[in-house]
Amino acid sequence: MNEGDFHSGPAGYSPNTPYVETQYGSGFDEEADWADRADRQAIAQRYGLEEPVFDSLLEHLETIRNFCAHHSRLWNRHVTKGPKIPKKLAAPLTANFNLHPQALPNVYNTIILLDYIDYCVSGEQKLFESVRKLLDSYPEIDPNQMGFPKGF
């Protein structure tokens, strides 16, 4: 196979394989041994999260990714398995988690966690504010159905 062939190399991937394909290839959640425990703990620690919280976030993001990839609605969807809410964080949050039981399966807490991860990676928290502006431009959308607290 050619050097530039996206499906050459061991296990069908080459150094030229797009990042998203390597991260979200089929069965990511089925490959529970994607890293040994020490590696998972080290990666989670880099983001100031406990390993079980980080693992649940990855599983949850795969579900969210699948909704988006298959053009499913996400804004008012109840996700069966949400991410675990961290007890402590290494950096401040843009907004507080919504711990109301009816809000937990919605996308609001996902947005807060992704905004936090964005801060850990880039030092900026822009996602939450972008979503807030987007919601402001669509007043017919009820953010409470996304798990946003009243008056966010």
Side-chain angles (χ1 to χ4, degrees):
M1 297 191 179
N2 297 333
E3 173 81 22
D5 184 357
F6 279 87
H7 299 290
S8 63
Y13 296 110
S14 77
N16 298 325
T17 302
Y19 176 77
V20 172
E21 189 174 333
T22 62
Q23 297 302 308
Y24 297 112
S26 65
F28 181 72
D29 63 334
E30 295 167 5
E31 297 174 19
D33 296 329
W34 63 271
D36 66 30
R37 180 159 189 165
D39 290 340
R40 289 193 316 263
Q41 287 175 333
I43 295 167
Q45 185 177 26
R46 163 67 178 89
Y47 296 105
L49 297 172
E50 298 163 345
E51 180 210 349
V53 173
F54 185 70
D55 284 347
S56 78
L57 177 61
L58 289 179
E59 263 185 63
H60 177 70
L61 289 177
E62 181 185 21
T63 302
I64 298 294
R65 178 253 171 227
N66 287 338
F67 290 152
C68 295
H70 297 285
H71 309 286
S72 297
R73 65 178 166 71
L74 181 60
W75 71 274
N76 68 345
R77 180 169 224 134
H78 290 263
V79 181
T80 307
K81 188 172 183 180
K84 291 181 181 177
I85 302 298
K87 294 181 180 123
K88 58 184 178 178
L89 294 169
L93 291 172
T94 304
N96 292 324
F97 291 110
N98 189 348
L99 301 178
H100 190 279
Q102 290 180 335
L104 288 175
N106 296 96
V107 75
Y108 171 80
N109 289 328
T110 306
I111 294 168
I112 298 298
L113 276 170
L114 286 175
D115 202 46
Y116 169 78
I117 295 293
D118 187 27
Y119 178 80
C120 293
V121 172
S122 71
E124 298 178 345
Q125 290 176 306
K126 295 181 178 179
L127 177 66
F128 185 77
E129 192 56 38
S130 296
V131 171
R132 181 191 302 255
K133 287 178 183 176
L134 183 64
L135 288 172
D136 287 345
S137 63
Y138 291 95
E140 66 275 11
I141 300 294
D142 179 9
N144 293 345
Q145 291 187 359
M146 296 172 67
F148 280 77
K150 294 198 184 304
F152 78 98

